[in-house]
Amino acid sequence: MAWRSSLLCCLFLSLSLAASARAATIRQNWVISYQFVHSDCVRKLAVVINGQTPGPTIYATEGDTVVVTVKNNLMTENTAIHWHGIRQIGTPWADGTEGVTQCPILPGDTFTYTFVVDRPGTYMYHAHYGMQRSGGLNGMIVVRTKAGSPDAEPFRYDGEHAVLLNDWWHKSTYEQAAGLASVPIGWVGEPQALLINGRGRFVNCSTMAAGACNATHPECATPVFAVVPGKTYRFRIASLTSLSALNFEIEVRTVILINSLFSFYYSICAY
């Protein structure tokens, strides 16, 4: 009987080691700070991650552990990050809802988020403090299916593109928050631009004061998604708009792209 117990123990240990070997740990180090950007060609102070907005996309496979160490270099504001759609089973303190499941990250402090991504799909992350989300502190999480998973996708594709949509105002989040809290309320109004992956174009650039808007700035260049005729591509689309309801369309300009674009639509609708 002793040898049977030993055999079962070894078998259990082997299976545990095999499962852990398949899962990976994805590590990122972020520094959150203020930086002037030209997301829609107009110079504005934004909240950035490692100097960029949107922040870096997190790529993982279901079952992986994600570890993100966040340093708050906003010297006048707290911050917190919410991982939108991640279930946080067993890790509620990593959900990022400031004042509910975690204390905010104070200026100058560092906090490490650790959680498992247990389901494949397209997710988002964003600030959960004040209006930092609309000020640029956001990004995407892509979780792919693991080999042999029962959640395996019913279609094949040759490549993929991540598309993050959001609306953009020229007023700082401080000005907007002050208006919303005033009596009578000072409404934020319509956004000045709509951004794709942090890039857009303010249509009235020529009417602004000299130096305020630079229509040739590389940060507001039109985003380009490279495709090859005859290939199938998946577009992972997420919206982090604050007020705007958006429709996403792909315009067919040449006959040669029709097959690829049909595959885009199929992929979007199928999953």
Side-chain angles (χ1 to χ4, degrees):
M1 294 298 292
W3 67 268
R4 291 183 179 178
S5 299
S6 299
L7 181 61
L8 288 174
C9 182
C10 291
L11 180 60
F12 176 78
L13 181 60
S14 300
L15 291 174
S16 299
L17 290 174
S20 59
R22 287 194 297 270
T25 299
I26 312 300
R27 300 181 183 275
Q28 292 199 11
N29 294 300
W30 293 357
V31 176
I32 298 176
S33 63
Y34 291 114
Q35 181 172 304
F36 283 104
V37 299
H38 294 77
S39 296
D40 69 337
C41 304
V42 177
R43 186 172 183 264
K44 176 189 173 176
L45 189 65
V47 186
V48 299
I49 301 174
N50 296 347
Q52 67 183 66
T53 177
T57 299
I58 297 174
Y59 291 96
T61 301
E62 62 175 313
D64 286 353
T65 298
V66 175
V67 180
V68 182
T69 300
V70 178
K71 171 70 180 297
N72 180 12
N73 272 1
L74 303 173
M75 289 298 100
T76 61
E77 284 188 81
N78 301 331
T79 194
I81 309 294
H82 172 60
W83 315 96
H84 201 105
I86 304 300
R87 296 196 290 180
Q88 301 294 355
I89 297 175
T91 53
W93 50 84
D95 194 49
T97 48
E98 174 272 328
V100 179
T101 60
Q102 78 162 98
C103 295
I105 308 172
L106 302 178
D109 280 359
T110 298
F111 183 83
T112 298
Y113 293 93
T114 303
F115 54 88
V116 174
V117 287
D118 65 320
R119 294 186 299 180
T122 304
Y123 303 94
M124 306 171 287
Y125 64 82
H126 57 80
H128 215 290
Y129 188 89
M131 298 181 67
Q132 293 171 0
R133 185 187 77 172
S134 64
L137 209 173
N138 52 59
M140 294 184 70
I141 308 171
V142 174
V143 183
R144 301 190 175 99
T145 56
K146 62 182 177 182
S149 170
D151 296 321
E153 298 164 349
F155 51 86
R156 295 180 178 272
Y157 48 91
D158 303 294
E160 65 180 38
H161 296 287
V163 181
L164 183 62
L165 311 174
N166 67 291
D167 37 17
W168 195 247
W169 284 263
H170 293 162
K171 284 186 177 181
S172 70
T173 56
Y174 288 121
E175 291 177 281
Q176 292 177 310
L180 292 172
S182 63
V183 180
I185 188 173
W187 185 238
V188 296
E190 293 296 321
Q192 276 71 58
L194 299 174
L195 307 183
I196 299 177
N197 289 352
R199 296 183 176 189
R201 189 61 62 99
F202 179 53
V203 295
N204 295 322
C205 190
S206 60
T207 64
M208 301 194 70
C213 186
N214 181 0
T216 62
H217 200 286
E219 287 183 5
C220 59
T222 302
V224 176
F225 302 99
V227 297
V228 176
K231 299 290 186 179
T232 300
Y233 296 87
R234 176 177 185 168
F235 270 33
R236 295 180 179 269
I237 305 169
S239 175
L240 273 167
T241 58
S242 297
L243 289 178
S244 306
L246 305 177
N247 292 320
F248 184 86
E249 297 181 0
I250 298 175
E251 181 179 358
V252 179
R253 289 187 175 272
T254 58
V255 176
I256 203 169
L257 287 178
I258 290 179
N259 289 337
S260 295
L261 292 174
F262 177 79
S263 298
F264 292 164
Y265 282 117
Y266 171 76
S267 298
I268 293 170
C269 293
Y271 190 64

